[in-house]
Amino acid sequence: MSLYSPDLWTKSYAPGVSQTMDIPAYPIHQLLSDAHAKYGRAIAFDFMGKRYTWGDLEAVSNHVARGLQDRGLQKGTRVALMLPNCPFYPAFYYGVLKAGGTVVNLNPLYSVREIKHHIEDSDSTWLVTLDLEALFSKAATVMEQTKLENIIVCRFTDVLPFPKNLLFPIVKWKEVSGAAHNGDYLAFDDIVHNDGKPAPVDIDLHEDIALLQYTGGTTGVPKAACLTHANITANVEQCRAWFPGAKEGQGKMLAVIPFFHVFSMTACLNFAVRLGFEIIATPRFDIDDTLKIIAKKKPTLFPAVPAIYNAISHKALHAKYDLTSIEFCVSGGAPLPAEVKKQFEELTGAVVVEGYGLSETSPVVCVNPTAGPNKHGSIGLPVPGTIVELVDLETGELVPLGEKGELCVRGPQVMKGYWNKPEETAAVLKNGRLHTGDVAVVDKDGYFSIVDRIKDMIIINGFKVYPRNVEDVIYEFDGVGECIVAGVPDAARGGIVKAWVVAKPGKSVDADALRVYLKEHLSPIEMPKAIDMRDEPLPKTLIGKLSRKDLLAQEAAKAQAAKS
């Protein structure tokens, strides 16, 4: 047995989960067609109270596919989706793929500069968005500055239930673009006005790119991971296998994290369609709305990021909401603090499992088992068909158990490469492995734990400090709600470890007492030389992940302003 044989972790698998399962390859849009065949008249999608059956979703995606083909969309044409969670997203996501196109996911909150970069980099010729001024105005500007040929504009009121569809243009009239429907752009109705019978497309499941998923761009310019149909459906099947007890057609998925993010695309959309679960979707996370939705609509599965679970736990302590319908939660996107997991599980009775993935892996690599030990600080076990190995940062050789190494992945969910970036692709895809840039350790039971990002390591006098280690200790101090640790420049010492800390609602944290505690639990080299106690929440990404990058950008801007 080699050092990182699946035998290392399969002994810890939940009953019914197999490492050697057959992982079929099929077109992504087959997920929706199969769900329609099995559950046709059952409710598939609930958006703000307006509900759609599986037959509705299948029909509209067919009309979208045919409409795109009629207007010249060819196999491989890139279509950018700049949409929040709403019924238009699955209609175009599956419709584009049925037509043979490639989906390009865009964050609707991107600036014009960011949208322009993604359109030009992906060479997208189509863009789909809503007639909301905040979105459409940016899309129209980008069309003027790029080779974008078509913008499809969807009326937001068309997916609102009565009477919201009537009230929205009156109450929120400033939010609706007056130019969106002036005839210069394609309307959704124009696209779907056809017989709904798209021409079949011959798809190479392992070669044809289904999705360009841009990385977060923590350093440098964002890159697009090329994910094939086989990559994405393999990951869906791996996730399905991880929940052997899930009863297909009998659950509800709460989707508050956005579908354009790879975590939600697989966990909240494709996985829910694979299970035949009703998707309860919201256009953005609002804590009060989310609590009401859970209490009223009774979702059973709730993937999210730790910050969302944390916010709900704190809010629900002072409110009367029944959250006990939730059975399972998959936490991703950021480390899951033990206290956050404990509070949410006590509040709901749900099982919260932490997982790990990347845009480059469609995205799921590891998850804690749904039955059995959920180890604190661990990302869990590799999902079926996946090999995870840790290699020495300098030599590239496998490291022994218990020692730190770069986490590398082999499996059917690993991307083909980065779009039009052969050098960057060669830098991460080496010897059959995807090099993730994450530093991890593995224990004797096969549970992996992320220590930190290689790029986030802090070098102090030649010694390596991992921010995650310091953050874990800070979270153990009573009253801490959020924290970020990073290295910052220092005139006297070159660089120091700094911590930014926010107390839980209704709590306070004494900085001096925290320093005393940290001295007892950290080495001198890890000890933060500066602690910034903040009253306002720390910056987060759109899906609620604490953002070290944005915090450091804020600090740099402050330093620059102070100089001037």
Side-chain angles (χ1 to χ4, degrees):
M1 182 183 82
S2 67
L3 184 60
Y4 291 96
S5 163
D7 292 341
L8 176 63
W9 52 80
T10 53
K11 62 180 181 290
S12 299
Y13 274 5
V17 181
S18 170
Q19 168 70 18
T20 58
M21 64 170 280
D22 178 49
I23 301 177
Y26 52 88
I28 298 167
H29 49 271
Q30 184 178 319
L31 287 165
L32 182 56
S33 299
D34 288 349
H36 169 229
K38 293 178 183 177
Y39 314 111
R41 294 186 178 181
I43 299 299
F45 205 90
D46 182 329
F47 181 70
M48 301 178 72
K50 190 167 184 178
R51 306 170 83 192
Y52 303 80
T53 67
W54 292 107
D56 294 333
L57 290 188
E58 172 74 349
V60 72
S61 70
N62 283 332
H63 281 278
V64 165
R66 176 60 188 270
L68 293 173
Q69 290 177 334
D70 287 346
R71 285 163 177 78
L73 184 141
Q74 301 293 316
K75 181 178 176 180
T77 297
R78 269 77 65 197
V79 181
L81 304 186
M82 192 170 75
L83 296 165
N85 287 6
C86 66
F88 290 119
Y89 186 92
F92 278 94
Y93 177 81
Y94 294 113
V96 168
L97 295 172
K98 284 182 182 182
T102 296
V103 170
V104 181
N105 271 328
L106 294 184
N107 182 340
L109 296 184
Y110 277 154
S111 66
V112 169
R113 177 185 58 80
E114 291 171 309
I115 298 169
K116 180 181 177 182
H117 168 267
H118 285 59
I119 294 295
E120 291 180 334
D121 183 73
S122 63
D123 198 22
S124 294
T125 52
W126 295 71
L127 185 146
V128 184
T129 193
L130 298 177
D131 62 350
L132 300 180
E133 179 64 26
L135 278 64
F136 174 77
S137 61
K138 293 186 290 189
T141 300
V142 168
M143 188 172 187
E144 295 175 354
Q145 301 176 2
T146 66
K147 295 180 180 179
L148 196 63
E149 298 173 2
N150 300 286
I151 294 179
I152 301 173
V153 182
C154 307
R155 290 184 187 274
F156 185 59
T157 53
D158 287 352
V159 292
L160 293 178
F162 177 84
K164 292 178 182 177
N165 61 333
L166 299 180
L167 295 174
F168 188 86
I170 299 172
V171 178
K172 302 284 189 180
W173 63 272
K174 290 184 179 180
E175 296 185 18
V176 180
S177 171
H181 303 287
N182 65 5
D184 293 336
Y185 310 96
L186 290 170
F188 174 74
D189 289 346
D190 296 332
I191 292 294
V192 297
H193 188 67
N194 56 63
D195 63 7
K197 297 179 180 179
V201 179
D202 184 22
I203 294 174
D204 188 324
L205 301 175
H206 297 278
E207 293 297 326
D208 290 342
I209 300 168
L211 180 78
L212 292 183
Q213 185 69 40
Y214 279 85
T215 63
T218 303
T219 60
V221 178
K223 303 177 292 292
C226 299
L227 302 179
T228 66
H229 285 262
N231 288 153
I232 295 173
T233 55
N235 208 225
V236 172
E237 293 298 329
Q238 289 167 321
C239 293
R240 174 65 187 97
W242 206 251
F243 289 81
K247 297 180 180 179
E248 296 184 7
Q250 299 183 36
K252 295 183 179 182
M253 174 75 73
L254 181 55
V256 300
I257 50 178
F259 295 141
F260 61 75
H261 190 279
V262 70
F263 176 25
S264 182
M265 182 201 69
T266 289
C268 295
L269 182 64
N270 286 330
F271 182 43
V273 175
R274 172 65 176 82
L275 289 172
F277 279 17
E278 176 183 336
I279 301 170
I280 305 167
T282 63
R284 62 184 178 85
F285 171 66
D286 178 271
I287 187 167
D288 292 323
D289 288 345
T290 301
L291 289 170
K292 292 174 184 176
I293 287 170
I294 296 172
K296 180 180 179 181
K297 301 189 177 182
K298 309 297 183 185
T300 54
L301 190 55
F302 181 21
V305 295
I308 289 178
Y309 298 130
N310 193 32
I312 290 175
S313 295
H314 291 151
K315 182 75 173 182
L317 292 175
H318 307 287
K320 302 297 181 182
Y321 295 101
D322 180 7
L323 310 181
T324 58
S325 67
I326 303 173
E327 298 174 2
F328 289 100
C329 296
V330 180
S331 179
L336 177 65
E339 186 63 21
V340 173
K341 171 181 165 66
K342 177 183 177 183
Q343 285 187 346
F344 197 83
E345 287 183 334
E346 290 177 348
L347 182 68
T348 63
V351 175
V352 181
V353 296
E354 182 174 4
Y356 166 82
L358 310 99
S359 297
E360 293 87 344
T361 56
S362 307
V364 182
V365 173
C366 292
V367 189
N368 271 272
T370 57
N374 284 276
K375 296 191 178 184
H376 166 52
S378 169
I379 57 172
L381 312 165
V383 294
T386 304
I387 302 296
V388 174
E389 298 165 314
L390 304 183
V391 302
D392 187 274
L393 300 180
E394 296 178 359
T395 67
E397 298 296 323
L398 296 178
V399 302
L401 299 186
E403 292 191 12
K404 299 181 181 70
E406 183 182 9
L407 190 150
C408 298
V409 183
R410 290 187 279 131
Q413 71 271 49
V414 174
M415 68 172 183
K416 281 186 65 176
Y418 292 121
W419 177 255
N420 287 340
K421 288 183 169 52
E423 292 182 2
E424 288 87 342
T425 298
V428 299
L429 291 177
K430 296 181 289 188
N431 300 318
R433 302 181 181 122
L434 171 72
H435 287 247
T436 67
D438 286 317
V439 182
V441 294
V442 61
D443 67 16
K444 61 181 179 58
D445 298 316
Y447 284 75
F448 288 81
S449 299
I450 299 296
V451 177
D452 237 307
R453 292 286 295 168
I454 291 175
K455 61 188 66 174
D456 290 335
M457 281 193 307
I458 307 166
I459 307 298
I460 305 293
N461 296 327
F463 292 96
K464 297 173 182 177
V465 175
Y466 297 97
R468 171 74 184 268
N469 285 353
V470 183
E471 289 169 351
D472 284 346
V473 175
I474 293 175
Y475 271 118
E476 293 170 358
F477 189 74
D478 184 48
V480 171
E482 296 178 349
C483 78
I484 292 177
V485 171
V488 296
D490 180 77
R493 288 164 283 197
I496 61 170
V497 178
K498 182 174 180 177
W500 292 262
V501 179
V502 176
K504 293 178 180 177
K507 297 267 190 176
S508 62
V509 175
D510 182 80
D512 290 334
L514 176 59
R515 287 188 180 90
V516 172
Y517 178 82
L518 296 180
K519 286 181 179 179
E520 296 174 355
H521 295 83
L522 294 172
S523 68
I525 199 70
E526 294 176 307
M527 182 67 191
K529 297 299 186 290
I531 297 178
D532 185 345
M533 301 300 306
R534 293 201 169 185
D535 295 326
E536 296 297 320
L538 296 173
K540 300 177 182 67
T541 64
L542 187 64
I543 64 167
K545 177 182 176 180
L546 288 169
S547 177
R548 181 180 287 112
K549 179 182 72 171
D550 289 339
L551 180 61
L552 291 175
Q554 289 178 3
E555 292 294 301
K558 287 180 183 178
Q560 185 63 34
K563 289 180 181 179
S564 57

